[in-house]
Amino acid sequence: MNDQRPLIIIIAIVLVGVVLLTKLFLIQVADDTFLRRAERNAIQRVVDHPYRGLVYDRTGKIMVYNNPIFDLMVIPREFSVKDTARFCEIFQISKEQLIEGYTAARKYSAVKPSPLKKQISTTEFARIQDYLIDYPGLFVMTRAVRSYPQPSAANALGYIGEISARQLERDTLKYYRQGDYVGLSGIEGFYEPELRGVKGVKYRMVNVRGVDKGPFKNGEYDTVAVAGKNLTSTIDLELQQYGEMLMAGKRGSVVAIEPKTGEVLAMISAPSYDPNMLTGAKFGANYMQLNQDDSKPLFNRPIMAMYPPGSIFKIVQSLVGLQMGVLSPNTTYSCNRSLVACHNHPNPVNLFGAVKYSCNPYYHQAYRAMINREVSRSTFKDTEIGLNTWREYVVKFGLGGPLGIDLYNEKGGSIPSSNLYDRIYGPGRWKYSTIYSLSIGQGEMLVTPLQMANLAAIFANKGYYYPPHLVKAVDGDPNKIPQRFRTRIDVGVDAQHFDLIQDAMAEAIYGTAARAAIKDITIAGKTGTAQNPQGEDHSVFIAFAPKEDPKIAIAVYVENAGWGGRAAASTASLMIEKYLRGEITRPALEEYVLAGKFM
Amino acid sequence: MREDDLYINKIDWITITIYALLVIMGWFNIYAAVYDEQAAKSIFDFSINSGKQLVWIGTALLLITIIMVADYRLFENLSLVLYGIFLLFLLITPFFGKEINGQRAWFEIGAFRLQPAEFAKFATALALAKFMERPSFDLSQFKYQMQALLIIMLPVALIMLQPDTGTAMVYSAFFIMLYREGMPQRYYVLGLAFIAVSLLALGIENNLYIVIGVVAVVVIFILLGKKKLSRILAFTILGLATIAYTYSLDYVVSKLPEHQQNRIMVLFNPDIDPLGVGWNVTQSKIAIGSGGFAGKGYLEGTQTKFDFVPEQHTDFIFCTLGEEFGWVGSLVVIFLFCALLIRLVFLAERQKNRFSRVYGYSVISILLFHFMINIAMTIGLFPVVGIPLPFFSYGGSSLWSFTILLFIFIKLDSHRIQLLGRMK
């Protein structure tokens, strides 16, 4: 009876072996998920964050540097606290924060570190350093935050912040990880690839408690972090700060450009904020506050605000008229105020006088001559063709579209084409009388302060410009900035036409903007008044100086400050003097601007 | 003198060779389990477990020598005395033992720690052999079944006082030996059915499926068999009992200590809490599974070396093997165990007296149980039970007790010609 039982036992033994080996085969050979899980377990990918590149101004003064900051990290499996109250007191963390932070860390991983408290200052770090040893599973990780020794040029420099989920999605090269810091606006945003450097990766073997057990395969796969490249900005920090001081308490923009290179010397957006507000632990709260501020300090006016150019556009009209052959220096129109209002000046005027006195009726008539050239019998068709032809000339001045400055979110303004009026009035249902306000820079025409400053540079250069930019060298090498900033753009107007305009602009200072005149420096400028249906007009002024060898071209917008000859011209004049002389010889004018009572 | 008369030639060298291979492989694996690349120490370093294991191996050799030179009749004659002594040890362990992990299972003598429950196994095996050697002993009779059960249950009851469920469970292995010795087959059919129903009841969320299955099986048996009233009644009662058991099992499980409940839950759903309750099994499977076909290479394992697997040098030593030597390494070890067990079956079958054969099958039973359950738990086929892998796991108690267990049988086998007993 029992004879077969030893055999059954042998079969059972073999069966046990087969079952075990089958299961082992399934998890060892047939399934590689365990291999990957093992790697995740024991091989920690430690990212070595490179130092972000620094930013210097054009004279070598530091504008942005890195400040070390510390994150308190926790490894949940090792972490334990006996006296919670004492712990909270030492590490200055509320009980709720502790519980919340620990729960989140535990959820992420029991054995990998998670931040418990972010961005501890150097002084706080020094204080808690000695206590760390009492708490296993707690350690400090060093990071760096941006810091600004001179709290200036906030909107031009921009800020960095934690990468958003959307940005992560768009990052197809998978450079970034959750929690990484990335330039979100300004130079920080535009030059992110240069500034960020190259991340290093160390593969460390860690035990179950996350304790480092040395490099994986002797560091065969490790890479070294490469610090970000330093940028040399085109901004003159001293001029920038002076401009910010002048614009304090006002709303508006100042853009100064070196005409010969397109380098932006100063770019002031008022009101602004201290860029140090948007670094470190206070980023979130401060950002919220700035974002909700009615004065819109985060709004980068020089490149984003759009206004009608007003009288300043008359210079463009003059040049286009000259180039088209519609105007000549001797072209004379009477100051017919039944067409459009004007101010008192000799009558009639030739082109020089029209620029000098900013004669509205002159441009009303001159523009009609440019538009209605009797190409078509139909006055409607003729206007349409004329407008489009004229527009081709105008957009070459860098209007009607973004200039391509090295900042994101630059607005392009608008120079209307026939399509716009077709949309508004219907095709064939509008003519010159519909669009004549364009002649004096009003109507459906918008420009940014940056475009206006660029216009000043074009006038200074007699017909060309380099796209304005804020960075002149990457790691000291000027050839590393985008090629387009080193490419001259001609506006298609012969240089000789500019002579008359320059002369008239220089004269105009004594006419419309006497305050702007500086002894021994010839300023060529033009006032404007941008009509503002919401309230007081905006004060506008553009200029370049010295007229003989222009070193600075400037556009100033002061919102709701009325006529351009006062607020904007005074501010521009002070900026020019500051830049060319390094000092101000007219304290009374400075006081006048600082007081800000222009109306 | 004929060559055959040499005592040395009567010893079964195949068994000893497999034993030696397993012990040496175990020793190397223990070294790998505690190896620290940054502070690498020699395998012979006594400050680490591999060095200590070498001491245990050396003393095990001493034990082997003593067993081999002792009089073979000693074990039969002393069997009941040894059984009594170890019962006494087990009885006092809960009172004088050193408490480790909530168990009082260890005696501490100087630097040494011994676990009486480990040694009680071979004493129980000897006692069983002695009892069953009697010519009248017949396992088909209820009286003798109860006698055998009593001998097994006495140490189990005492071990449960410590409490050491894992070691206590090992004693159920004797049912393998009892099977060979003629225990009625129906017990095993019932036992296996019981296990199957338990697994189903625990593994299947909705007990209704089991009820339907049980009813179906009962109906089929009744319809197929002879339709006698007693038979129909028996099947119906059995079916009802099964259903009742199914429903009561959830209740019973809910009354178990929490850690045991968790272990059972994890078996059926290893992913429920991979960082908590499921940690051991999850990490153990990761370690073994990451070994792949040929393993990561000796001392190259990351999971076991960096402490992801708890108790890796003792109960989870198989993880180190699986990770560093892969499926091939596992195959070799499993093959060696199976070869050893099958060889022992042959040895047991060639015994000329019942004492040796019963003892031999007891050795097979215990080794098979340890081997099967230990590896099964590391790969998630069985709940985590704290029992060592024979010869492989670190520790003096375990190595000594398995060595004694095995070599008493080798000793008995080498004298099988002299041990002409009454065979049944």
Side-chain angles (χ1 to χ4, degrees):
Chain A
M1 168 211 174
N2 291 345
D3 288 353
Q4 60 174 13
R5 290 195 175 193
L7 189 66
I8 289 171
I9 289 173
I10 287 173
I11 290 169
I13 292 167
V14 173
L15 209 64
V16 166
V18 168
V19 167
L20 293 178
L21 279 171
T22 308
K23 174 75 178 178
L24 280 164
F25 188 85
L26 289 178
I27 66 170
Q28 289 188 307
V29 186
D31 188 349
D32 63 353
T33 54
F34 293 102
L35 184 61
R36 274 181 273 121
R37 287 178 72 175
E39 275 166 10
R40 257 182 302 171
N41 249 348
I43 299 166
Q44 206 177 49
R45 195 172 171 278
V46 185
V47 175
D48 201 355
H49 286 276
Y51 253 99
R52 202 170 168 83
L54 311 179
V55 183
Y56 297 93
D57 91 328
R58 64 189 294 116
T59 62
K61 293 193 193 85
I62 189 119
M63 295 179 84
V64 186
Y65 70 103
N66 298 303
N67 211 10
I69 207 156
F70 309 91
D71 283 351
L72 187 63
M73 308 294 284
V74 64
I75 299 169
R77 189 171 268 264
E78 287 171 52
F79 182 66
S80 74
V81 168
K82 287 202 179 71
D83 186 345
T84 314
R86 188 178 136 77
F87 179 88
C88 291
E89 198 195 309
I90 291 171
F91 291 96
Q92 298 197 337
I93 183 172
S94 75
K95 202 178 164 189
E96 292 74 35
Q97 276 176 305
L98 173 66
I99 292 166
E100 201 179 298
Y102 178 81
T103 314
R106 173 95 215 183
K107 211 173 157 193
Y108 166 66
S109 167
V111 294
K112 289 179 186 167
S114 300
L116 190 64
K117 188 182 179 188
K118 282 184 157 188
Q119 311 201 334
I120 298 165
S121 69
T122 317
T123 42
E124 207 186 333
F125 171 60
R127 193 178 56 77
I128 63 170
Q129 206 172 8
D130 293 339
Y131 295 106
L132 283 174
I133 194 155
D134 301 336
Y135 296 95
L138 212 61
F139 69 98
V140 163
M141 206 168 75
T142 313
R143 283 197 303 118
V145 293
R146 294 302 240 182
S147 202
Y148 308 84
Q150 310 286 347
S152 231
N155 277 297
L157 293 169
Y159 51 86
I160 62 170
E162 263 189 65
I163 193 163
S164 68
R166 269 226 326 270
Q167 280 173 303
L168 264 180
E169 239 170 72
R170 282 199 306 245
D171 175 29
T172 46
L173 293 173
K174 300 281 166 221
Y175 178 87
Y176 297 101
R177 299 229 152 183
Q178 186 81 49
D180 274 358
Y181 281 74
V182 60
L184 293 177
S185 75
I187 290 174
E188 296 274 22
F190 194 88
Y191 289 96
E192 171 67 17
E194 284 81 12
L195 287 168
R196 73 185 177 198
V198 179
K199 279 182 191 174
V201 177
K202 287 197 179 82
Y203 293 94
R204 310 290 300 182
M205 294 193 290
V206 291
N207 73 0
V208 66
R209 284 169 295 279
V211 174
D212 200 330
K213 298 302 248 180
F216 175 65
K217 298 219 166 155
N218 289 319
E220 207 177 293
Y221 303 111
D222 294 2
T223 54
V224 184
V226 180
K229 296 182 176 119
N230 296 339
L231 302 182
T232 309
S233 173
T234 59
I235 284 177
D236 182 315
L237 191 55
E238 215 175 303
L239 184 68
Q240 174 80 21
Q241 286 176 313
Y242 185 67
E244 282 174 12
M245 185 182 85
L246 294 178
M247 291 297 286
K250 308 172 184 72
R251 289 190 192 192
S253 311
V254 178
V255 180
I257 296 176
E258 187 180 69
K260 288 191 181 67
T261 57
E263 290 171 7
V264 176
L265 301 169
M267 195 164 98
I268 293 132
S269 181
S272 187
Y273 61 94
D274 181 347
N276 288 305
M277 285 176 83
L278 294 186
T279 64
K282 307 145 292 176
F283 180 93
N286 286 343
Y287 184 85
M288 197 89 105
Q289 187 202 322
L290 289 172
N291 202 27
Q292 287 167 355
D293 194 325
D294 286 337
S295 67
K296 296 193 178 160
L298 292 173
F299 183 61
N300 195 3
R301 287 172 163 62
I303 61 163
M304 297 173 86
M306 297 188 284
Y307 314 90
S311 299
I312 286 155
F313 191 68
K314 289 167 184 165
I315 298 175
V316 178
Q317 292 286 43
S318 306
L319 289 163
V320 170
L322 284 167
Q323 188 64 29
M324 286 172 86
V326 173
L327 294 180
S328 80
N330 302 323
T331 308
T332 306
Y333 289 108
S334 70
C335 183
N336 182 352
R337 296 190 193 173
S338 66
L339 295 169
V340 55
C342 200
H343 21 262
N344 286 322
H345 60 78
N347 185 28
V349 286
N350 61 9
L351 183 56
F352 186 89
V355 176
K356 181 179 171 184
Y357 299 115
S358 199
C359 178
N360 290 339
Y362 184 96
Y363 285 99
H364 185 282
Q365 294 162 83
Y367 189 46
R368 163 170 268 164
M370 284 185 245
I371 299 296
N372 291 133
R373 304 187 68 188
E374 289 168 13
V375 184
S376 167
R377 291 260 191 89
S378 155
T379 175
F380 299 103
K381 191 73 191 163
D382 194 41
T383 306
E384 185 190 324
I385 294 166
L387 180 70
N388 289 341
T389 312
W390 166 83
R391 189 179 187 277
E392 277 173 37
Y393 282 93
V394 172
V395 295
K396 286 189 177 167
F397 282 80
L399 303 174
L403 283 164
I405 194 177
D406 40 4
L407 294 177
Y408 291 123
N409 303 321
E410 185 199 358
K411 295 282 185 281
S414 152
I415 302 295
S417 67
S418 59
N419 293 339
L420 179 74
Y421 295 106
D422 283 349
R423 267 207 307 273
I424 300 173
Y425 303 105
R429 302 185 61 172
W430 52 278
K431 53 185 181 174
Y432 183 70
S433 59
T434 323
I435 63 165
Y436 74 93
S437 54
L438 295 177
S439 65
I440 54 166
Q442 301 289 349
E444 295 79 9
M445 181 186 281
L446 293 169
V447 297
T448 63
L450 181 74
Q451 285 173 327
M452 292 296 267
N454 192 51
L455 275 184
I458 292 167
F459 304 148
N461 289 339
K462 298 188 181 176
Y464 70 88
Y465 69 96
Y466 289 93
H469 49 282
L470 285 159
V471 170
K472 59 185 289 181
V474 176
D475 253 353
D477 185 351
N479 293 319
K480 281 189 184 158
I481 63 168
Q483 179 61 41
R484 67 171 192 274
F485 299 135
R486 290 173 277 139
T487 308
R488 178 177 145 151
I489 296 175
D490 285 283
V491 299
V493 175
D494 300 337
Q496 79 258 15
H497 296 318
F498 284 90
D499 293 333
L500 175 117
I501 299 300
Q502 284 200 350
D503 291 342
M505 284 174 81
E507 283 268 331
I509 293 295
Y510 298 100
T512 55
R515 279 188 189 84
I518 313 172
K519 200 166 175 283
D520 301 330
I521 297 174
T522 322
I523 296 181
K526 180 77 191 79
T527 56
T529 307
Q531 283 178 7
N532 177 16
Q534 271 93 45
E536 290 293 338
D537 291 346
H538 305 316
S539 179
V540 190
F541 186 74
I542 70 162
F544 60 89
K547 180 174 162 257
E548 303 75 35
D549 178 22
K551 295 240 179 343
I552 179 169
I554 191 165
V556 178
Y557 269 77
V558 186
E559 288 183 22
N560 312 119
W563 185 47
R566 286 197 290 261
S570 307
T571 307
S573 174
L574 288 167
M575 289 290 285
I576 289 169
E577 188 178 21
K578 178 78 182 172
Y579 184 66
L580 295 179
R581 284 214 177 111
E583 56 175 356
I584 296 301
T585 57
R586 297 163 294 163
L589 184 66
E590 194 177 55
E591 250 169 63
Y592 168 74
V593 171
L594 288 174
K597 296 196 174 99
F598 303 114
M599 299 308 291
Chain B
M1 193 188 259
R2 285 200 337 247
E3 205 186 12
D4 274 6
D5 291 344
L6 277 174
Y7 175 61
I8 209 120
N9 289 333
K10 291 180 180 139
I11 299 172
D12 186 61
W13 287 102
I14 295 173
T15 309
I16 292 177
T17 307
I18 298 173
Y19 165 83
L21 281 172
L22 288 171
V23 169
I24 291 165
M25 286 170 76
W27 181 52
F28 277 105
N29 269 298
I30 288 161
Y31 181 58
V34 297
Y35 181 74
D36 184 341
E37 202 176 30
Q38 287 175 322
K41 288 176 176 158
S42 156
I43 191 167
F44 300 104
D45 193 317
F46 290 133
S47 70
I48 58 174
N49 284 334
S50 62
K52 289 180 192 159
Q53 183 73 358
L54 194 61
V55 178
W56 299 124
I57 293 169
T59 43
L61 287 175
L62 199 69
L63 287 171
I64 291 168
T65 314
I66 293 169
I67 291 166
M68 295 315 276
V69 300
D71 191 322
Y72 65 91
R73 280 165 295 222
L74 195 66
F75 303 107
E76 186 172 353
N77 295 340
L78 280 181
S79 56
L80 292 178
V81 180
L82 281 171
Y83 183 67
I85 288 172
F86 277 103
L87 283 183
L88 199 65
F89 270 138
L90 287 175
L91 192 66
I92 63 170
T93 312
F95 304 103
F96 300 99
K98 168 120 181 119
E99 185 166 334
I100 296 165
N101 295 336
Q103 297 177 351
R104 284 185 185 278
W106 304 81
F107 270 135
E108 207 167 39
I109 307 150
F112 295 95
R113 270 194 214 140
L114 291 175
Q115 197 177 4
E118 287 289 337
F119 295 97
K121 281 180 244 175
F122 84 84
T124 309
L126 285 173
L128 277 168
K130 182 76 185 166
F131 260 89
M132 290 168 68
E133 192 192 26
R134 285 173 300 154
S136 60
F137 197 91
D138 181 0
L139 273 174
S140 63
Q141 289 179 32
F142 185 71
K143 181 180 124 190
Y144 295 109
Q145 290 166 8
M146 284 303 111
Q147 277 183 10
L149 199 63
L150 185 71
I151 294 167
I152 296 166
M153 288 311 288
L154 269 174
V156 169
L158 294 174
I159 290 166
M160 287 305 283
L161 289 177
Q162 296 177 355
D164 183 353
T165 325
T167 308
M169 275 175 72
V170 175
Y171 285 79
S172 65
F174 285 112
F175 279 90
I176 299 168
M177 177 275 287
L178 293 176
Y179 175 73
R180 164 62 183 87
E181 294 305 313
M183 194 77 153
Q185 206 138 5
R186 60 176 179 277
Y187 291 140
Y188 294 86
V189 175
L190 276 177
L192 290 174
F194 177 77
I195 292 167
V197 169
S198 304
L199 288 175
L200 285 173
L202 291 168
I204 296 173
E205 283 288 318
N206 193 345
N207 285 336
L208 199 63
Y209 293 117
I210 300 163
V211 174
I212 294 165
V214 168
V215 171
V217 169
V218 169
V219 170
I220 289 165
F221 268 82
I222 291 170
L223 292 180
L224 290 182
K226 289 176 232 150
K227 289 174 188 61
K228 276 201 280 180
L229 185 63
S230 63
R231 208 178 120 85
I232 294 168
L233 206 63
F235 275 118
T236 311
I237 289 168
L238 202 61
L240 289 173
T242 311
I243 291 164
Y245 171 72
T246 302
Y247 279 96
S248 61
L249 192 62
D250 285 338
Y251 175 78
V252 171
V253 168
S254 74
K255 293 289 158 197
L256 284 176
E258 205 185 327
H259 72 277
Q260 285 176 3
Q261 268 188 55
N262 290 338
R263 284 174 183 179
I264 293 166
M265 261 156 52
V266 164
L267 183 70
F268 293 103
N269 189 358
D271 298 325
I272 41 170
D273 184 11
L275 297 180
V277 180
W279 175 266
N280 287 15
V281 184
T282 310
Q283 294 300 326
S284 163
K285 277 167 82 177
I286 289 174
I288 294 170
S290 67
F293 183 73
K296 296 177 183 171
Y298 187 55
L299 302 183
E300 296 289 327
T302 52
Q303 303 308 293
T304 43
K305 215 180 307 163
F306 297 150
D307 306 338
F308 285 96
V309 184
E311 297 175 62
Q312 38 164 313
H313 57 284
T314 55
D315 297 346
F316 281 89
I317 190 69
F318 192 75
C319 295
T320 314
L321 179 97
E323 190 184 8
E324 299 194 342
F325 297 101
W327 192 72
V328 176
S330 311
L331 177 86
V332 169
V333 169
I334 288 169
F335 175 81
L336 283 177
F337 269 110
C338 289
L340 175 70
L341 288 164
I342 292 166
R343 179 71 192 165
L344 289 177
V345 173
F346 279 111
L347 296 192
E349 287 300 323
R350 76 180 180 189
Q351 298 310 307
K352 299 208 164 21
N353 72 346
R354 198 174 186 188
F355 178 84
S356 310
R357 191 181 70 204
V358 167
Y359 182 79
Y361 269 101
S362 296
V363 175
I364 293 162
S365 306
I366 291 165
L367 289 181
L368 176 62
F369 188 88
H370 270 270
F371 155 70
M372 174 172 74
I373 300 301
N374 179 282
I375 296 179
M377 89 180 178
T378 63
I379 55 181
L381 283 176
F382 197 83
V384 173
V385 174
I387 60 169
L389 185 61
F391 317 123
F392 242 78
S393 290
Y394 168 80
S397 293
S398 124
L399 181 66
W400 280 10
S401 68
F402 287 121
T403 302
I404 294 167
L405 188 71
L406 181 66
F407 276 86
I408 289 177
F409 182 54
I410 292 172
K411 173 74 178 171
L412 292 174
D413 174 63
S414 66
H415 292 279
R416 63 188 177 275
I417 311 294
Q418 290 129 296
L419 274 162
L420 282 170
R422 295 161 294 265
M423 292 300 284
K424 203 171 175 185

